[in-house]
Amino acid sequence: MTLSSASVPDPAPVDVVLPCLDEAEALPWVLERIPPGWRALVVDNGSTDGSAGIARALGATVVREERRGFGAACHAGLTAATAEVVCFCDCDASLDPGDLVPFVARIRSAETDLVLGRRRPEGRGAWPAHARAGNLALSLLLRRRTGLRLHDLGPLRAARREALLALGLTDRRSGYPLQMVVRARDAGWRISEYDVPYRPRAGASKVTGTWRGTWQAVRDMSRVLAEPEASGRETSGGEVSR
């Protein structure tokens, strides 16, 4: 992993990790919506369309992660982050990083430990039927594994950096977001959902745009759910705050 920046400012109050693979079309829209004072960490995962150069020109810090995989890019961003609170957001213009402001407020107020965005699709094609079906299946399997009654396992989320690192996340493929939730639950974290708009993405999807991509993601996440349960997990409740 390597890191470069248009400028290296003082540590930001919030770092936003943006995993990126050929997102030149979406980057300007996404980066202009980063809240003032926050730092955008664009993790270039092997782009060939000039995404890294566009991100630098727009003032983002660019992290290069040579190992392909959504989880590899996310974790490279997490390890490069320095802020107390770290957020994650897709870099394809389907989600607005400005919607993370209330997430961070909940984390800072100690109301919750992990906030997840519950996607509410807007516009045709925002969330294909096969992707929704895969998400629903995984949500049900997660409930069986942990007791959590989550509605979505979307990529928009926020938590404290040191706590995230302490989870020891190991998945470097599509299972990374789910592993974060499973291990957080095993560690007794309070997990919240927050409704967010979900728009049609810019460009072609690398994962959920096809049945094959969705199946691969479900397969990766199913492996995560097969992990042995950590001892000492708090099992009371199972509800998710909103």
Side-chain angles (χ1 to χ4, degrees), residues 42-53:
V42 175
V43 185
D44 181 25
N45 201 209
S47 299
T48 58
D49 66 349
S51 289

Side-chain angles (χ1 to χ4, degrees), residues 151-239:
H151 299 87
D152 192 9
L153 297 170
L156 199 70
R157 52 189 60 195
R160 295 187 183 274
R161 178 178 60 87
E162 291 187 2
L164 282 172
L165 289 170
L167 292 178
L169 302 176
T170 57
D171 192 280
R172 296 296 181 263
R173 292 169 59 89
S174 301
Y176 187 88
L178 179 60
Q179 188 180 55
M180 183 185 297
V181 174
V182 170
R183 293 199 176 182
R185 176 60 175 162
D186 284 353
W189 288 26
R190 296 160 299 167
I191 301 173
S192 303
E193 285 189 320
Y194 198 96
D195 287 358
V196 295
Y198 191 48
R199 306 165 182 84
R201 62 155 291 142
S205 174
K206 286 81 175 175
V207 178
T208 57
T210 65
W211 280 100
R212 180 179 180 181
T214 298
W215 167 245
Q216 179 178 311
V218 170
R219 185 178 59 187
D220 289 346
M221 294 185 184
S222 296
R223 284 199 295 265
V224 170
L225 290 170
E227 289 182 354
E229 183 175 339
S231 60
R233 177 173 65 83
E234 297 176 12
T235 56
S236 61
E239 295 297 325

Side-chain angles (χ1 to χ4, degrees), residues 5-189:
S5 171
S7 60
V8 182
D10 293 333
V14 177
D15 279 328
V16 183
V17 176
L18 299 159
C20 177
L21 176 59
D22 294 329
E23 302 291 2
E25 181 181 347
L27 272 167
W29 188 93
V30 173
L31 292 177
E32 72 179 5
R33 285 165 173 77
I34 298 291
W38 294 15
R39 180 172 64 155
L41 289 172
V42 175
V43 185
D44 181 25
N45 201 209
S47 299
T48 58
D49 66 349
S51 289
I54 292 171
R56 289 190 193 94
L58 293 172
T61 296
V62 175
V63 179
R64 293 195 61 186
E65 175 53 57
E66 302 295 340
R67 180 177 177 181
R68 286 293 184 93
F70 183 76
C74 287
H75 203 71
L78 174 60
T79 56
T82 57
E84 179 185 8
V85 177
V86 175
C87 301
F88 296 84
C89 180
D90 275 355
C91 202
D92 58 10
S94 63
L95 294 163
D96 186 341
D99 290 334
L100 287 162
V101 171
F103 289 36
V104 172
R106 287 186 173 196
I107 298 297
R108 285 179 167 163
S109 68
E111 177 184 339
T112 189
D113 302 305
L114 174 63
V115 185
L116 307 173
R118 181 183 182 184
R119 292 170 288 183
R120 298 295 195 177
E122 294 186 350
R124 293 187 62 183
W127 202 352
H130 53 272
R132 288 201 205 194
N135 186 75
L136 175 61
L138 287 167
S139 295
L140 294 173
L141 290 172
L142 177 69
R143 184 180 304 180
R144 186 178 303 168
R145 162 70 168 76
T146 67
L148 281 172
R149 295 181 179 274
L150 287 173
H151 299 87
D152 192 9
L153 297 170
L156 199 70
R157 52 189 60 195
R160 295 187 183 274
R161 178 178 60 87
E162 291 187 2
L164 282 172
L165 289 170
L167 292 178
L169 302 176
T170 57
D171 192 280
R172 296 296 181 263
R173 292 169 59 89
S174 301
Y176 187 88
L178 179 60
Q179 188 180 55
M180 183 185 297
V181 174
V182 170
R183 293 199 176 182
R185 176 60 175 162
D186 284 353
W189 288 26

